[in-house]
């Protein structure tokens, strides 16, 4: 986790982004201990705006404990591992992208690869280059990948699961 800029809490001091090769100001265990001393499970973590199932816009307040507990449970149930390399176009302003993809990846220690926009050819190159193990996308996105001319020659040998897994021929 990298922090940029000033912060009123000592465990979130900025500057890591300025020199990624510099020695971090604290070890991860020290940062985690300081966070635990300052943040309780009941503290608000995020206010996510949603239309929910009623289509009436509302803000849903999520706590640190609720988000962490649910992501931990989801990571365990899905058996995500730190060796996984995930690709997903899910937006982080949406609870599915933020929580189901990003936060669950953080909890499990997996690598999450994202791109600014979905360009099927670039995504296929990324899957191959980054040795993506899991593709997590909506059917429209996976269909766009399958429809791209480069799909037939893409090396999917690193892919272990996800939303494109059933469509990848067994020999690739």
């Amino acid at each position: 986790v990298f922090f940029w800029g000033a912060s009123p809490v000592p465990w979130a001091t900025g500057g890591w982004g300025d020199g990624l090769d510099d020695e971090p100001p604290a070890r991860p265990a020290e940062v985690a201990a300081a966070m635990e001393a300052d943040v309780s499970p009941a503290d608000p973590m995020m206010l996510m705006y949603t239309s929910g199932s009623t289509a009436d816009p509302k803000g849903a307040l999520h706590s640190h404990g609720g988000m962490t507990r649910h992501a931990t449970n989801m990571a365990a149930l899905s058996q995500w591992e730190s060796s996984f390399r995930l690709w997903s176009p899910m937006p982080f302003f949406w609870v599915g992208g933020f929580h189901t993809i990003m936060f669950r990846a953080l909890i499990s220690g997996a690598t999450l690869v994202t791109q600014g926009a979905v360009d099927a050819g670039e995504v296929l190159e990324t899957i191959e280059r980054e040795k993506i193990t899991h593709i997590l996308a909506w059917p429209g996105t996976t269909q766009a990948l399958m429809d791209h001319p480069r799909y037939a020659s893409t090396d999917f040998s690193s892919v272990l699961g996800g939303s494109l897994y059933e469509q990848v021929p067994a020999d690739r």
Side-chain angles (χ1 to χ4, degrees):
V1 176
F2 294 98
F3 300 103
W4 281 265
S7 173
V9 294
W11 52 263
T13 56
W16 285 22
D18 298 334
L20 293 179
D21 294 328
D22 296 349
E23 184 66 27
R27 302 214 177 268
E30 295 165 348
V31 172
M35 288 174 152
E36 289 170 357
D38 194 46
V39 178
S40 82
D43 287 342
M45 178 184 193
M46 171 180 64
L47 181 61
M48 180 69 67
Y49 286 91
T50 177
S51 60
S53 58
T54 64
D56 293 329
K58 62 193 135 300
L61 188 60
H62 297 273
S63 70
H64 280 270
M67 292 288 284
T68 303
R69 185 173 40 256
H70 188 60
T72 299
N73 291 341
M74 289 180 67
L77 288 170
S78 60
Q79 300 178 349
W80 280 18
E81 300 174 7
S82 61
S83 62
F84 287 0
R85 299 182 58 76
L86 316 165
W87 177 85
S88 182
M90 304 293 186
F92 300 146
F93 63 79
W94 170 63
V95 76
F98 179 85
H99 185 268
T100 306
I101 305 295
M102 183 186 70
F103 205 59
R104 184 168 41 153
L106 287 170
I107 292 288
S108 64
T111 298
L112 176 59
V113 178
T114 63
Q115 293 171 284
V118 175
D119 173 279
E122 289 179 21
V123 171
L124 293 169
E125 289 174 19
T126 300
I127 290 168
E128 202 171 63
R129 181 184 65 249
E130 298 296 327
K131 304 210 180 317
I132 299 299
T133 62
H134 293 76
I135 300 163
L136 308 160
W138 290 112
T141 302
T142 57
Q143 188 63 53
L145 298 179
M146 291 168 40
D147 290 345
H148 193 275
R150 194 178 186 295
Y151 179 81
S153 64
T154 299
D155 178 5
F156 290 104
S157 60
S158 62
V159 178
L160 303 173
S163 54
L164 187 64
Y165 186 69
E166 280 77 30
Q167 289 85 10
V168 174
D171 64 339
R172 298 189 325 162

